[in-house]
Amino acid sequence: MTTEAAHTEEELGPLPGFLRPLVDRVARINATVHAKLLAGFLIIAVLLLAMGGLSVAVLNRVNRQVDTLTALNRQTDLARDMIYKVTVQMHYRAMALVTDGVEDEASYNAKLLDAKAGFLSDLAAIRAFPEPDRTEFFDDLEATNETFAASSLQVTALSVAGDTERALAMHLDQEHPISHRLEASLNRLIADSERRVVAETAAFKSDRRFLTLAVATFSALSLLGALLLGAVLSWSLIRPVRRVDRALASIADGDFETRVLVPNRDEFGSLTNNLNRTTEQLSTLYTDLGTLNANLQETVDTKVTELERATRLQRYLSPALAESILAGEQDIQFEPSRKFLTTFFSDVRGFTAAAEQMEPEELVDALNDYLSEMTDIVFKHGGTLDKYVGDAVMVFFGDPVPQDDHAERAVRMAFEMRARMTDLQERWLRQYHEAFKIGIGIATGWVTVGDIGSAARSDYTVLGNQVNLASRLADRAEAGQILATERTMLAVEDFVEASAIDEVTLKGINRPIKIYELLAPIG
């Protein structure tokens, strides 16, 4: 039964219940993880920018209110100073009218003019404030001051002319009332500014509370939004990672039926799909492996048999022929049977005597050199290498692969071996200080061939009188001589030049045998 790795959130970690729909919805968005993260960071950046913009707006509003309060307070101070300068003018005027000395009168008149200049300077300064807008008021105030200035000039002229009585009358009738009008206007300005200061201060406090609450609320909402967005994004990534991790742990424990289910439609969704495909493949392979293990002993036995068969073939036959048989191109039997074959023996003349004079390493090298050369020739002509007996080589033709021309193959091989020995004479004389030659015996007839021996050790070999005959012929042959039986001669007489030898009695052979010396191939 398939195990699904869609574990509960309690198994995966403490995910609040209200977040699960949001996390699943974000996970199902068909976008890459990179795009989702960029979108999350962009939203957070927008929230930060919005909070910064709100903070800037709040600061600008506070600055405007502070500027307005500062302007109102400054206007109030200037208005009080202007009232003082009007009062000072009236004081200096009274002193100038009641003094007896001309110099004192001129001094008070000069001070009066200074006060007027100060009033005009304050008037210009108080009109420079853009807030609040009191253009009409200041125009009226300036017009009243011009009337006041004109009246003051007339009073001063009469006083300087010595007409003190008329100057005093004009002062009391015109100049002094106008000064009261100026003072009244300035007092109204002060009262209006103080009222506005009180109202602006109250508004400032109210706005400050509201703006503080707004900034705090927006900041808290932005922070919560960022935390919520971070939690949703992180959980949409963490949950598939944890599920994949748990699935991999189960797979590592050998549960190849584990499957991972996630709602993601991003790289994690692709990852889980590939993981599920991998586990399916592993499950199939594991099942196949179990089936293979169940039949492993049979497979091993079969492979061991094939290996033994290959080893035997490569021991007796040429590599090309062995590969052909192993590939199934030819069929052979190793069971003992009676067959008509040709047997070949060769023996090195003088090797035993030379071996007594050679070092062991030299002896082994010389023997290996000789056998390697002869074996290559055996396989070249399709012979079956039976065995090495010291320096002797035993070969047969016609089995396990049937050969109609087995006698011809054996004779041609004998000629090539003898020629090759002649070619190697110079090298062996230089290397081993010996000139080796071989004697060869060949017999054709019925023999027993097959796998012969015990369960512990067996060889694929030939037995019979013809085998003994070939061995005796090799023993009798002189250096470089090739001896063959009459049957062999009859099979090759068309292409071999031969010389008959009288019937001879060989050791182990009950009757005289007619033999031939094979001299050379014809043509």
Side-chain angles (χ1 to χ4, degrees), residues 81-82 85 89 110-124 145 149:
D81 186 63
M82 291 170 71
K85 285 182 171 61
Q89 290 182 53
K111 292 180 179 179
L112 187 148
L113 291 175
D114 289 340
K116 285 185 176 296
F119 182 89
L120 290 174
S121 176
D122 287 344
L123 180 60
N145 184 59

Side-chain angles (χ1 to χ4, degrees), residues 74-111:
R74 180 61 179 156
Q75 285 179 351
T76 299
D77 292 341
L78 287 173
R80 287 194 177 98
D81 186 63
M82 291 170 71
I83 290 173
Y84 171 75
K85 285 182 171 61
V86 171
T87 302
V88 166
Q89 290 182 53
M90 294 300 95
H91 173 73
Y92 289 146
R93 174 64 70 193
M95 295 300 294
L97 290 174
V98 300
T99 185
D100 293 334
V102 176
E103 293 182 0
D104 291 337
E105 182 182 357
S107 173
Y108 286 125
N109 286 332
K111 292 180 179 179

Side-chain angles (χ1 to χ4, degrees), residues 33 44 75 101 131 183 260 265 273 283 316 324 330 378 390 398 485:
V33 173
I44 293 174
Q75 285 179 351
E131 291 290 340
E183 290 174 347
V260 182
R265 299 179 65 188
N273 289 335
S283 178
Y316 300 125
S324 175
Q330 301 188 51
V378 170
T485 64

Side-chain angles (χ1 to χ4, degrees), residues 387-400:
K387 63 175 66 71
Y388 303 125
V389 183
D391 57 81
V393 178
M394 178 181 175
V395 181
F396 57 91
F397 290 83
D399 197 75

Side-chain angles (χ1 to χ4, degrees), residues 273-290:
N273 289 335
N274 290 332
L275 178 60
N276 290 335
R277 290 175 56 195
T278 301
T279 53
E280 288 177 5
Q281 291 293 329
L282 287 175
S283 178
T284 301
L285 292 175
Y286 187 74
T287 302
D288 293 343
L289 181 61

Side-chain angles (χ1 to χ4, degrees), residues 156-217:
T156 300
L158 291 173
S159 177
V160 171
D163 193 352
T164 304
E165 183 176 352
R166 288 183 61 192
L168 180 61
M170 183 172 286
H171 167 68
L172 294 174
D173 293 339
Q174 296 182 13
E175 184 181 27
H176 189 67
I178 294 174
S179 71
H180 285 306
R181 286 167 55 193
L182 287 174
E183 290 174 347
S185 295
L186 290 172
N187 282 324
R188 288 197 303 274
L189 174 63
I190 292 171
D192 180 64
S193 294
E194 289 178 343
R195 180 183 59 77
R196 290 194 179 195
V197 166
V198 172
E200 196 67 32
T201 301
F204 174 77
K205 291 180 180 180
S206 176
D207 288 348
R208 184 179 62 182
R209 286 192 299 271
F210 170 76
L211 293 175
T212 301
L213 179 62
V215 170
T217 302

